Amino acid sequence: MTDLLLELVTAYGLIILAGTVFMAALGAPLPGTVLLVLSGAFAAGGDMDPIMVVLTGFTAAIAGDMAGYFIGFKGGEWLKEKLGRTPLGKHVNKADVFMDKWGGVGVFLSRWLVAPIGPTLNYVAGIGQFDWRRFMLWDVLGEVVWVGLYVGIGMLFSASALALVDLIASASWMILGALGMYFMGKRLMIVARKAKA
Amino acid sequence: MNKTKYLWQKHRLLLIGFSLATLVTLFFLFRFVFSVIYWSYNRDLPIEPWQPLGYVAHSHQVDREWLMRQANLPEGIKFVRLTVEEAAKIDGVTYEEMRDRLTAAIAAQHAQ
C-alpha cells in the first residue's frame, strides 16, 4: 500500500498528499506522515514547491480533523437519542466528561506527540460536543507543529528521513503506553491501598 | 489474601489494562532503540525505481542539474518528479543500467 502511494505521489503530487492526509485524519490506515515527509524531501530536491506542500498538508489535516469532529457531533446526537438511558448510553455521556477534563491540550498533543490517538480524539470531541471553536484553535496549533516537524524532517534528511519516521512512530506509541501505565498504575495503587484498610 | 490476587478478583480490567500498557511500552521501547541503531548505520540508502532524480540528488548531496546530465537527459527541458525508472526509459537503457550509472557517478563525485 505504501509503495503504491509513493508511486502515486511521485506521479500526481499534491492531490495524493491531500487525499491521504485527509483520510488518515479520519482514521483510515494510510501513511499520511510518510507522504508528508516524502513531499518535504521532494521539495528539498526541487521537485515540489515547499510552500504548497506545507499549505496542502496543513489544509488537508485540518479539513480531515474537522470532518471527524462533525461526524462525531452528528453521530453522537443520534447515539444519545437511540441509547438513551441504557448502560451503553452512559459510555456515550462519558465523552463529555473526558473532553471537559482533557480538552484543548489533549487535542493539541494528539496532533503530533501522541498521534496514534488523533483520529479517535476527533470523534470523541464531536460526541462530547466540545466547543468547535476551541477544538479548531487547538487543532490548528497542533497541526502547525505536525506539518512543520515532518516537512522539516523530510527537507533535512531526505532518504534517511523515512527511517526516522519509523523511529518517531515508535516513540509516539511508547509515550502512549507510558501514559496508560501512569494512569492505570495510579488507580491500581489507590485500590490496593483501600484493600489494606 | 495477597494483593495481586485481590486486584485480580476485584479489579481485573484495570490489572489487564495496566499489563497491556506495560507490554506496549516495552515493545515500542525496544523498537525505538532498534530504529535508532538501524538509522545511524543506514543513512545512505540505495537508489530505487520510484525515486525522482531531484530526490536522489538531494539525498546524496550532489547537484540536481549535474545528476540530470549524468542520466543523459535532453537539455533545456524542465523535468518535474522524473523518476530513475522514467529517466532510464528516456535514455533507452534498462532501469538497472541507469541505477548503476548514477550510483557510480555519485560515488566518483563523493571521492573527489
Side-chain angles (χ1 to χ4, degrees):
Chain A
M1 189 64 180
T2 304
D3 283 349
L4 176 69
L5 281 167
L6 289 185
E7 273 177 39
L8 285 176
V9 83
T10 310
Y12 302 106
L14 292 172
I15 188 112
I16 299 295
L17 174 70
T20 308
V21 167
F22 180 84
M23 293 308 290
L26 287 173
L30 295 174
T33 309
V34 170
L35 287 203
L36 196 62
V37 168
L38 199 69
S39 301
F42 285 2
D47 282 319
M48 268 186 173
D49 181 350
I51 293 168
M52 286 308 288
V53 167
V54 167
L55 284 180
T56 305
F58 183 70
T59 313
I62 303 282
D65 293 335
M66 291 311 288
Y69 173 91
F70 282 108
I71 291 170
F73 196 93
K74 289 284 162 205
E77 277 179 351
W78 180 83
L79 274 178
K80 279 175 193 162
E81 204 175 289
K82 286 277 166 200
L83 299 172
R85 290 183 192 281
T86 64
L88 270 175
K90 259 190 358 204
H91 285 289
V92 176
N93 288 326
K94 269 191 192 161
D96 308 31
V97 182
F98 179 83
M99 284 314 292
D100 275 345
K101 198 165 170 193
W102 297 105
V105 181
V107 172
F108 175 69
L109 293 177
S110 66
R111 304 303 101 173
W112 57 280
L113 187 65
V114 283
I117 59 165
T120 312
L121 205 57
N122 295 342
Y123 295 118
V124 172
I127 293 170
Q129 308 212 332
F130 190 67
D131 179 33
W132 73 269
R133 283 155 300 198
R134 253 180 90 196
F135 177 81
M136 196 158 162
L137 172 74
W138 287 105
D139 185 42
V140 165
L141 290 176
E143 296 298 8
V144 165
V145 177
W146 182 68
V147 172
L149 183 71
Y150 284 103
V151 172
I153 285 174
M155 292 188 83
L156 268 175
F157 297 105
S158 246
S160 60
L162 291 179
L164 201 59
V165 173
D166 216 38
L167 195 150
I168 294 172
S170 291
S172 270
W173 280 103
M174 199 167 73
I175 293 169
L176 205 58
L179 280 174
M181 274 175 76
Y182 173 75
F183 286 113
M184 284 186 273
K186 218 164 94 173
R187 184 93 200 109
L188 272 176
M189 265 155 73
I190 292 170
V191 293
R193 215 173 294 146
K194 264 191 201 152
K196 230 201 284 180
Chain B
M1 184 163 46
N2 76 38
K3 218 175 258 178
T4 317
K5 207 165 158 196
Y6 166 79
L7 289 175
W8 177 249
Q9 278 168 356
K10 298 277 176 186
H11 302 278
R12 192 166 297 178
L13 266 181
L14 192 60
L15 202 60
I16 292 174
F18 180 77
S19 313
L20 276 179
T22 309
L23 281 178
V24 166
T25 309
L26 285 177
F27 174 77
F28 283 102
L29 178 70
F30 283 123
R31 208 166 160 252
F32 178 77
V33 172
F34 176 79
S35 302
V36 170
I37 295 168
Y38 180 85
W39 188 67
S40 53
Y41 283 102
N42 290 279
R43 299 283 302 263
D44 275 330
L45 295 174
I47 293 173
E48 306 262 1
W50 60 267
Q51 296 175 348
L53 288 179
Y55 175 82
V56 174
H58 186 252
S59 296
H60 295 88
Q61 289 115 37
V62 294
D63 181 61
R64 177 189 157 95
E65 303 309 320
W66 173 84
L67 195 74
M68 297 263 180
R69 285 197 296 278
Q70 305 307 309
N72 218 2
L73 291 175
E75 300 219 7
I77 304 173
K78 179 150 171 47
F79 292 102
V80 176
R81 293 195 300 277
L82 182 82
T83 65
V84 179
E85 201 170 28
E86 289 162 344
K89 242 176 238 166
I90 292 174
D91 198 29
V93 295
T94 64
Y95 158 70
E96 284 78 14
E97 282 174 290
M98 180 56 79
R99 178 197 59 199
D100 295 345
R101 188 203 302 168
L102 295 183
T103 309
I106 290 167
Q109 178 86 348
H110 283 175
Q112 273 180 18

